[in-house]
Amino acid sequence: MKFRIVSVFALVALIFSCEQKPSQTEIAEVLESLIDVSKNDSSLVDAYRENEFQPVWTQSGGLKKVAENYLEALDEVVFDGLEKTDYLTEELAQLIEASKKSKDPMVLATLDLAMSKSFLTLASDLNIGKIDPGKLNIEWKMDRKIPTEKYSEVLLAIAGGESPEKSLANLRPDNSEYNKLREQLRKLIAEPLVDSLQVKNFEGKIEQGDQHEAIPSIRKKLAFWQELKSEGTGNVYSEDMFKAVTHFQKRHGLIDDGVIGGDFIEAINYGQADLITKIKVNLERWRWLPDFTENDKDKVIVNIPDFRLFYIQKSDTILTSKVIVGKDYRQTPVFKSDMTYLVLSPTWTLPETILWEDAIPSIQKDISYLDKHQMKVLDFDGNEVNAKKINWKSLKSKGDFPYMIRQSPGKLNPLGQVKFMFPNDYSIYIHDSPAQSLFSQDERTFSSGCIRMEKPKEFAELLLAETDDWDASTISDSMNLEQEKNVSLKKSQEVWILYVSVWDIAGNVAVRKDVYEMDKKLAAAMSLPVSTFFL
């Protein structure tokens, strides 16, 4: 969206060389010439041609009222996590000042184009996001949102009398989570807090009734985050402080047992500037996303930083389950798919990464590894191969091993008793897990990318509730077979794997740790500050 801007020096000369106020026709003629000789965005060109090159924002006396309304509306974009100066640039501000004195149509035409460029840039940034996620080094596989409006038509609507405020409101995500988070940012900007000192790390843990030298600084931090009404005095972990600690733990996805340890100290030490940055990057990610509230289909939503799955039917959450997601070096990607079937008593075919990094090195050390883990070697037609006839020691690369290794159903199978399939390019699915103790951890990044679920049987029962011949008993029996069994769903379920690290919950801010550093990478792209205590 580039076009020629008259230099400030040229503007000054024009101001003093012109005496008559230009007519609308004169401004339109200059606009047409500027459009024709410049390389402009198609939205800009389309809008002006459709409007017969009539100015949108300017008139013979300077700015129209609609332009003043737009400039006022720019005050609101800070609550979207955007910078006003990206749209009211220094160059645009100079043109506005020049237009107050100049009578030259070139000044007004150039200003009109600059205003339109500003508006179209903001329209796109609000509607689909400022940063292209494809240019960031993150596991973001979601298709970027298609613009909900044709920006040239939005500009034409303003030329026809629609208010810029209304136009911008329509371009924002039609999403209650976005709107609530936006209001939280408004509140933080309106009521800046004075941060206290950081809480120093300590060995061990503190429980209610204990005395500890860290208590005063922890109380100050709790008061800073408005969990306590006052900082209080003394070194005793009191009852009122216990209530504040458990509430803080709930907001931050920690086990709300009131025990103060390393995870709690890490969570409480970030500051308001970090929270503002966290909200801004999450607002930006919401703008990237297609609107998943646009239909009434059943939805399975997994929020990676929250380590939770939500099953939604007709806008009601009917199941919530803890989940385990991928390790930092085997991250679960953000993407969308449709769940179409379940596999009961699943086998597990080892993926290439696990085959070469884990299984083959173990087999090379001990061939009995296969029997101990109920694994078989198969060719790609599914025929079993005698593992003892393979020269395991010689295997160095994929070409050396024209087989696959498959683990039989059973208690040793890492997929547990059921897996939920939503075909995708990343070999990701949701499944049961025999390692139930891991669900008690605060931070659950233990898998190789797939999503392990704490409540798979309950989920299966809900999914198959409308499927003939399936009830809790038949599901339970089929989860304990020696051969896997596929069951097609009566209707597909949308699956959304998301990365949401802060949101509004009943007027409070829920915050989650940036486990894959997507927040930090996006903050860097948006030139937002991040402290060493960023959560």
Side-chain angles (χ1 to χ4, degrees), residues 250-269:
K250 285 181 182 178
R251 287 201 303 113
H252 290 76
L254 305 176
I255 298 171
D256 54 333
D257 56 5
V259 176
I260 299 174
D263 289 347
F264 177 86
I265 298 304
E266 181 183 21
I268 204 169
N269 264 336

Side-chain angles (χ1 to χ4, degrees), residues 192-376:
L193 302 175
V194 179
D195 203 351
S196 60
L197 297 174
Q198 307 303 320
V199 179
K200 293 181 180 179
N201 285 320
F202 54 84
E203 296 292 329
K205 58 186 179 180
I206 309 172
E207 299 187 46
Q208 186 179 1
D210 290 350
Q211 290 189 12
H212 198 283
E213 62 182 4
I215 293 296
S217 60
I218 294 172
R219 290 187 67 95
K220 284 183 179 180
K221 264 295 187 181
L222 288 167
F224 167 76
W225 287 120
Q226 300 178 343
E227 300 285 3
L228 279 173
K229 292 182 179 179
S230 65
E231 296 179 4
T233 57
N235 290 349
V236 178
Y237 185 1
S238 61
E239 183 178 353
D240 69 320
M241 183 175 169
F242 177 83
K243 292 178 180 177
V245 168
T246 55
H247 187 261
F248 182 89
Q249 287 173 325
K250 285 181 182 178
R251 287 201 303 113
H252 290 76
L254 305 176
I255 298 171
D256 54 333
D257 56 5
V259 176
I260 299 174
D263 289 347
F264 177 86
I265 298 304
E266 181 183 21
I268 204 169
N269 264 336
Y270 72 100
Q272 190 186 56
D274 282 335
L275 179 56
I276 287 174
T277 290
K278 206 170 189 72
I279 290 176
K280 287 181 176 181
V281 298
N282 275 267
L283 287 168
E284 174 70 1
R285 279 199 296 266
W286 279 118
R287 292 190 286 266
W288 294 348
L289 289 172
D291 182 12
F292 57 83
T293 63
E294 65 187 4
N295 60 57
D296 58 359
K297 290 185 70 174
D298 296 345
K299 294 175 178 64
V300 180
I301 298 175
V302 175
N303 185 10
I304 293 169
D306 192 28
F307 308 110
R308 289 189 188 276
L309 175 149
F310 305 88
Y311 182 42
I312 300 171
Q313 286 185 348
K314 298 177 181 178
S315 301
D316 290 328
T317 302
I318 63 171
L319 177 71
T320 302
S321 175
K322 292 179 180 179
V323 298
I324 291 167
V325 299
K327 302 168 187 175
D328 181 56
Y329 60 92
R330 291 179 181 170
Q331 294 182 8
T332 302
V334 174
F335 70 101
K336 175 189 176 295
S337 187
D338 289 301
M339 185 182 295
T340 54
Y341 69 101
L342 279 60
V343 181
L344 300 165
S345 298
T347 60
W348 182 46
T349 301
L350 277 62
E352 287 290 329
T353 303
I354 296 174
L355 179 69
W356 285 98
E357 292 184 6
D358 302 331
I360 287 178
S362 298
I363 297 167
Q364 287 172 332
K365 294 176 183 177
D366 181 7
I367 188 67
S368 66
Y369 176 91
L370 289 165
D371 290 335
K372 289 177 182 177
H373 292 82
Q374 297 177 355
M375 292 178 176
K376 297 177 181 179

Side-chain angles (χ1 to χ4, degrees), residues 71-87:
L71 294 173
E72 290 175 5
L74 288 180
D75 291 334
E76 285 286 308
V77 302
V78 295
F79 308 124
D80 294 282
L82 301 173
E83 295 296 325
K84 179 180 178 179
T85 52
D86 286 343
Y87 313 102

Side-chain angles (χ1 to χ4, degrees), residues 21 44 47 52 64 69 91 99 125 142 191 225 240 243 252 255 278 303 330 333 342 347 362 380 420 480 497 507 535:
K21 287 185 178 181
L44 190 74
E52 297 181 344
K64 294 179 180 178
N69 291 341
E91 190 172 41
S99 72
D125 291 352
M142 188 85 70
E191 302 173 7
W225 287 120
D240 69 320
K243 292 178 180 177
H252 290 76
I255 298 171
K278 206 170 189 72
N303 185 10
R330 291 179 181 170
L342 279 60
T347 60
S362 298
F380 291 112
F420 306 88
N480 291 280
I497 314 298
L535 189 61

Side-chain angles (χ1 to χ4, degrees), residues 80-261:
D80 294 282
L82 301 173
E83 295 296 325
K84 179 180 178 179
T85 52
D86 286 343
Y87 313 102
L88 180 55
T89 62
E90 183 178 349
E91 190 172 41
L92 178 56
Q94 289 174 344
L95 282 166
I96 291 170
E97 285 303 309
S99 72
K100 295 176 181 178
K101 301 175 183 178
S102 176
K103 298 174 184 177
D104 189 277
M106 175 64 79
V107 174
L108 294 172
T110 304
L111 172 58
D112 210 88
L113 282 176
M115 291 281 288
S116 291
K117 175 189 176 183
S118 167
F119 177 82
L120 291 172
T121 300
L122 177 56
S124 177
D125 291 352
L126 273 181
N127 196 225
I128 64 171
K130 185 180 181 68
I131 305 297
D132 181 355
K135 295 181 179 179
L136 299 178
N137 183 27
I138 57 175
E139 287 296 313
W140 189 277
K141 307 301 182 183
M142 188 85 70
D143 289 338
R144 196 174 183 186
K145 180 170 128 185
I146 298 171
T148 60
E149 306 273 357
K150 191 173 181 180
Y151 304 142
S152 60
E153 292 179 358
V154 178
L155 187 56
L156 274 171
I158 290 175
E162 185 173 281
S163 75
E165 296 93 333
K166 181 180 177 181
S167 298
L168 294 175
N170 291 337
L171 288 163
R172 291 186 174 96
D174 184 16
N175 185 305
S176 61
E177 296 301 324
Y178 181 91
N179 294 332
K180 288 189 290 186
L181 197 55
R182 190 174 183 272
E183 289 308 306
Q184 287 289 353
L185 182 56
R186 183 191 298 273
K187 189 189 305 182
L188 285 169
I189 291 173
E191 302 173 7
L193 302 175
V194 179
D195 203 351
S196 60
L197 297 174
Q198 307 303 320
V199 179
K200 293 181 180 179
N201 285 320
F202 54 84
E203 296 292 329
K205 58 186 179 180
I206 309 172
E207 299 187 46
Q208 186 179 1
D210 290 350
Q211 290 189 12
H212 198 283
E213 62 182 4
I215 293 296
S217 60
I218 294 172
R219 290 187 67 95
K220 284 183 179 180
K221 264 295 187 181
L222 288 167
F224 167 76
W225 287 120
Q226 300 178 343
E227 300 285 3
L228 279 173
K229 292 182 179 179
S230 65
E231 296 179 4
T233 57
N235 290 349
V236 178
Y237 185 1
S238 61
E239 183 178 353
D240 69 320
M241 183 175 169
F242 177 83
K243 292 178 180 177
V245 168
T246 55
H247 187 261
F248 182 89
Q249 287 173 325
K250 285 181 182 178
R251 287 201 303 113
H252 290 76
L254 305 176
I255 298 171
D256 54 333
D257 56 5
V259 176
I260 299 174

